[in-house]
PDB file of all heavy atoms in Angstrom:
ATOM      1  N   LEU A 200      88.193  93.303 102.973  1.00 73.00           N
ATOM      2  CA  LEU A 200      88.755  94.637 102.843  1.00 73.00           C
ATOM      3  C   LEU A 200      89.529  94.989 104.117  1.00 73.00           C
ATOM      4  O   LEU A 200      88.947  95.393 105.117  1.00 73.00           O
ATOM      5  CB  LEU A 200      87.645  95.668 102.587  1.00 73.00           C
ATOM      6  CG  LEU A 200      88.103  97.094 102.277  1.00 73.00           C
ATOM      7  CD1 LEU A 200      88.889  97.134 100.980  1.00 73.00           C
ATOM      8  CD2 LEU A 200      86.908  98.025 102.203  1.00 73.00           C
ATOM      9  N   VAL A 222      97.525 115.359  82.008  1.00 92.00           N
ATOM     10  CA  VAL A 222      96.715 115.787  80.870  1.00 92.00           C
ATOM     11  C   VAL A 222      96.040 117.121  81.144  1.00 92.00           C
ATOM     12  O   VAL A 222      95.981 118.002  80.277  1.00 92.00           O
ATOM     13  CB  VAL A 222      95.668 114.698  80.527  1.00 92.00           C
ATOM     14  CG1 VAL A 222      94.742 115.164  79.396  1.00 92.00           C
ATOM     15  CG2 VAL A 222      96.357 113.399  80.141  1.00 92.00           C
ATOM     16  N   TYR A 223      95.543 117.299  82.365  1.00 93.00           N
ATOM     17  CA  TYR A 223      94.831 118.544  82.692  1.00 93.00           C
ATOM     18  C   TYR A 223      95.765 119.753  82.642  1.00 93.00           C
ATOM     19  O   TYR A 223      95.360 120.845  82.217  1.00 93.00           O
ATOM     20  CB  TYR A 223      94.205 118.424  84.081  1.00 93.00           C
ATOM     21  CG  TYR A 223      93.237 119.539  84.404  1.00 93.00           C
ATOM     22  CD1 TYR A 223      92.052 119.677  83.692  1.00 93.00           C
ATOM     23  CD2 TYR A 223      93.511 120.458  85.410  1.00 93.00           C
ATOM     24  CE1 TYR A 223      91.165 120.698  83.978  1.00 93.00           C
ATOM     25  CE2 TYR A 223      92.621 121.481  85.701  1.00 93.00           C
ATOM     26  CZ  TYR A 223      91.454 121.591  84.987  1.00 93.00           C
ATOM     27  OH  TYR A 223      90.583 122.616  85.267  1.00 93.00           O
ATOM     28  N   MET A 228      97.407 124.721  79.785  1.00 86.00           N
ATOM     29  CA  MET A 228      98.428 125.474  79.067  1.00 86.00           C
ATOM     30  C   MET A 228      97.946 125.848  77.668  1.00 86.00           C
ATOM     31  O   MET A 228      98.154 126.976  77.203  1.00 86.00           O
ATOM     32  CB  MET A 228      99.711 124.650  78.966  1.00 86.00           C
ATOM     33  CG  MET A 228     100.641 124.803  80.147  1.00 86.00           C
ATOM     34  SD  MET A 228     101.279 126.489  80.338  1.00 86.00           S
ATOM     35  CE  MET A 228     102.196 126.674  78.829  1.00 86.00           C
ATOM     36  N   THR A 249      81.058 131.742  70.885  1.00 57.00           N
ATOM     37  CA  THR A 249      80.349 131.312  72.090  1.00 57.00           C
ATOM     38  C   THR A 249      80.972 130.062  72.673  1.00 57.00           C
ATOM     39  O   THR A 249      81.038 129.889  73.897  1.00 57.00           O
ATOM     40  CB  THR A 249      78.875 131.059  71.747  1.00 57.00           C
ATOM     41  OG1 THR A 249      78.332 132.233  71.145  1.00 57.00           O
ATOM     42  CG2 THR A 249      78.077 130.715  72.992  1.00 57.00           C
ATOM     43  N   LEU A 305      96.631 100.945 117.330  1.00 75.00           N
ATOM     44  CA  LEU A 305      96.211 101.267 115.949  1.00 75.00           C
ATOM     45  C   LEU A 305      94.708 101.408 115.816  1.00 75.00           C
ATOM     46  O   LEU A 305      94.231 101.897 114.792  1.00 75.00           O
ATOM     47  CB  LEU A 305      96.713 100.178 114.989  1.00 75.00           C
ATOM     48  CG  LEU A 305      98.230 100.026 114.859  1.00 75.00           C
ATOM     49  CD1 LEU A 305      98.551  98.916 113.868  1.00 75.00           C
ATOM     50  CD2 LEU A 305      98.876 101.330 114.427  1.00 75.00           C
ATOM     51  N   LYS A 318      98.680  96.763 119.111  1.00 73.00           N
ATOM     52  CA  LYS A 318      99.420  97.887 119.662  1.00 73.00           C
ATOM     53  C   LYS A 318     100.850  97.458 119.937  1.00 73.00           C
ATOM     54  O   LYS A 318     101.148  96.267 120.068  1.00 73.00           O
ATOM     55  CB  LYS A 318      98.764  98.406 120.935  1.00 73.00           C
ATOM     56  CG  LYS A 318      98.748  97.426 122.098  1.00 73.00           C
ATOM     57  CD  LYS A 318      98.070  98.057 123.305  1.00 73.00           C
ATOM     58  CE  LYS A 318      98.050  97.093 124.487  1.00 73.00           C
ATOM     59  NZ  LYS A 318      97.406  97.682 125.674  1.00 73.00           N
ATOM     60  N   ALA A 322     108.170  98.717 125.851  1.00 74.00           N
ATOM     61  CA  ALA A 322     108.904  97.642 126.519  1.00 74.00           C
ATOM     62  C   ALA A 322     109.187  96.467 125.594  1.00 74.00           C
ATOM     63  O   ALA A 322     109.986  95.590 125.934  1.00 74.00           O
ATOM     64  CB  ALA A 322     108.123  97.162 127.737  1.00 74.00           C
ATOM     65  N   MET A 329     112.018  99.014 115.759  1.00 84.00           N
ATOM     66  CA  MET A 329     111.355  99.953 114.864  1.00 84.00           C
ATOM     67  C   MET A 329     111.915 101.366 115.022  1.00 84.00           C
ATOM     68  O   MET A 329     112.132 102.086 114.028  1.00 84.00           O
ATOM     69  CB  MET A 329     109.843  99.959 115.129  1.00 84.00           C
ATOM     70  CG  MET A 329     109.056 100.880 114.215  1.00 84.00           C
ATOM     71  SD  MET A 329     107.300 100.902 114.618  1.00 84.00           S
ATOM     72  CE  MET A 329     107.351 101.614 116.266  1.00 84.00           C
ATOM     73  N   LEU A 341     108.685 110.934 104.081  1.00 94.00           N
ATOM     74  CA  LEU A 341     108.007 110.814 102.786  1.00 94.00           C
ATOM     75  C   LEU A 341     106.567 111.313 102.863  1.00 94.00           C
ATOM     76  O   LEU A 341     106.081 111.987 101.937  1.00 94.00           O
ATOM     77  CB  LEU A 341     108.037 109.358 102.315  1.00 94.00           C
ATOM     78  CG  LEU A 341     109.367 108.846 101.756  1.00 94.00           C
ATOM     79  CD1 LEU A 341     109.279 107.355 101.479  1.00 94.00           C
ATOM     80  CD2 LEU A 341     109.762 109.604 100.492  1.00 94.00           C
ATOM     81  N   PHE A 342     105.884 111.000 103.951  1.00 94.00           N
ATOM     82  CA  PHE A 342     104.522 111.510 104.125  1.00 94.00           C
ATOM     83  C   PHE A 342     104.519 113.037 104.271  1.00 94.00           C
ATOM     84  O   PHE A 342     103.591 113.707 103.784  1.00 94.00           O
ATOM     85  CB  PHE A 342     103.862 110.869 105.341  1.00 94.00           C
ATOM     86  CG  PHE A 342     103.147 109.585 105.043  1.00 94.00           C
ATOM     87  CD1 PHE A 342     103.511 108.402 105.669  1.00 94.00           C
ATOM     88  CD2 PHE A 342     102.101 109.567 104.125  1.00 94.00           C
ATOM     89  CE1 PHE A 342     102.836 107.222 105.391  1.00 94.00           C
ATOM     90  CE2 PHE A 342     101.425 108.388 103.844  1.00 94.00           C
ATOM     91  CZ  PHE A 342     101.804 107.214 104.468  1.00 94.00           C
ATOM     92  N   ALA A 345     104.918 114.361 100.804  1.00 95.00           N
ATOM     93  CA  ALA A 345     103.663 114.169 100.081  1.00 95.00           C
ATOM     94  C   ALA A 345     102.625 115.210 100.488  1.00 95.00           C
ATOM     95  O   ALA A 345     101.875 115.730  99.646  1.00 95.00           O
ATOM     96  CB  ALA A 345     103.126 112.753 100.328  1.00 95.00           C
ATOM     97  N   ALA A 352      99.907 121.582  95.106  1.00 95.00           N
ATOM     98  CA  ALA A 352      98.849 121.406  94.107  1.00 95.00           C
ATOM     99  C   ALA A 352      97.663 122.328  94.396  1.00 95.00           C
ATOM    100  O   ALA A 352      97.051 122.868  93.461  1.00 95.00           O
ATOM    101  CB  ALA A 352      98.391 119.944  94.078  1.00 95.00           C
ATOM    102  N   CYS A 374      85.102 140.175  73.351  1.00 62.00           N
ATOM    103  CA  CYS A 374      83.812 139.938  72.699  1.00 62.00           C
ATOM    104  C   CYS A 374      83.040 141.253  72.547  1.00 62.00           C
ATOM    105  O   CYS A 374      82.447 141.524  71.494  1.00 62.00           O
ATOM    106  CB  CYS A 374      83.014 138.919  73.500  1.00 62.00           C
ATOM    107  SG  CYS A 374      81.420 138.492  72.779  1.00 62.00           S
ATOM    108  N   LYS A 383      80.453 149.351  64.310  1.00 70.00           N
ATOM    109  CA  LYS A 383      81.114 150.519  63.737  1.00 70.00           C
ATOM    110  C   LYS A 383      81.392 150.324  62.264  1.00 70.00           C
ATOM    111  O   LYS A 383      81.179 151.241  61.437  1.00 70.00           O
ATOM    112  CB  LYS A 383      82.416 150.781  64.490  1.00 70.00           C
ATOM    113  CG  LYS A 383      83.153 152.023  64.033  1.00 70.00           C
ATOM    114  CD  LYS A 383      84.420 152.224  64.843  1.00 70.00           C
ATOM    115  CE  LYS A 383      85.193 153.437  64.350  1.00 70.00           C
ATOM    116  NZ  LYS A 383      86.458 153.625  65.117  1.00 70.00           N
TER     117      LYS A 383
END
Side-chain angles (χ1 to χ4, degrees):
L200 186 64
V222 176
Y223 191 65
M228 273 297 297
T249 305
L305 296 180
K318 64 180 180 180
M329 182 183 64
L341 284 174
F342 271 120
C374 182
K383 183 179 178 181

